[in-house]
Amino acid sequence: GQQVMQIPQYQHVQEGEDFTTYCNSSTTLSNIQWYKQRPGGHPVFLIQLVKSGEVKKQKRLTFQFGEAKKNSSLHITATQTTDVGTYFCAGRGTNAGKSTFGDGTTLTVKP
Amino acid sequence: GAGVSQSPRYKVAKRGQDVALRCDPISGHVSLFWYQQALGQGPEFLTYFQNEAQLDKSGLPSDRFFAERPEGSVSTLKIQRTQQEDSAVYLCASKTGVASGYTFGSGTRLTVV
């Protein structure tokens, strides 16, 4: 079945440094979504990418979808302590109703 | 309602006990999903409904797991004869359509002792 892998598993940064997490799927995706989960909380939807090569920005966050629609990345510029949490990607295969989540990248930010 | 509501928030069950977890999705959301999240891992798909129809139950770990959504709104996930490996957070999510993002509930943390 479809597998979604994320790296790195953990990332520790100093406040103000940049952060990137990468997501790779074993199969071509129809879309990819990104979620943020704060400690003790539930995943919260951030964004969805659909088109090959698509790039979307939300303030300091930049999301990219690969040309082959099998990989994606999330980049945060100048991290803040409010960015702490686990970032998950979730890929939906073609002809699939469900999305498959990666195991996430947990970001900690040292003030 | 304004969000996805799940109950109970926490459940402690003795091994062998049956449990029922409830999910009340956002009004009007056609699609409803159940995911299981173990500590330190991403949510793992269990099953999903479109209205009252269960379209995919391929993620249910065994025949001890059963889900229903009889009237196309509230859903119940039932686990029979619970075992320790069933301990996890059970997340319910709803969405307006296939192409939209999930809105998750706060989850039910199940601990089997």
Side-chain angles (χ1 to χ4, degrees), chain B residues 22-78:
Chain B
R22 177 189 167 104
C23 173
D24 200 341
I26 293 174
S27 178
H29 276 199
V30 169
S31 302
L32 183 147
F33 296 75
W34 285 98
Y35 279 83
Q36 179 191 61
Q37 187 173 27
L39 192 63
Q41 295 183 14
E44 200 159 325
F45 172 78
L46 293 176
T47 185
Y48 99 94
F49 294 84
Q50 196 153 309
N51 296 305
E52 68 277 4
Q54 190 174 18
L55 297 188
D56 188 346
K57 54 180 181 179
S58 62
L60 297 176
S62 74
D63 58 9
R64 296 186 297 105
F65 287 71
F66 171 77
E68 60 183 4
R69 193 186 185 198
E71 296 176 359
S73 55
V74 171
S75 176
T76 304
L77 176 66
K78 297 179 179 177

Side-chain angles (χ1 to χ4, degrees), chain A residues 9-10 31 33 35 37 40-45 48 50 88 90 92 96-104, chain B residues 9 33 35 37 40-45 48 56 58-59 91 95 98-107:
Chain A
Q9 189 176 2
Y10 300 98
N31 68 44
Q33 298 173 347
Y35 293 80
Q37 185 171 24
H42 56 274
V44 174
F45 175 70
Q48 176 171 280
V50 178
F88 293 99
R92 187 166 74 86
K98 68 190 181 200
S99 291
T100 300
F101 282 76
D103 279 338
Chain B
R9 187 79 173 86
F33 296 75
Y35 279 83
Q37 187 173 27
Q41 295 183 14
E44 200 159 325
F45 172 78
Y48 99 94
D56 188 346
S58 62
L91 293 165
K95 55 199 292 194
V98 175
S100 61
Y102 293 120
T103 300
F104 281 94
S106 297

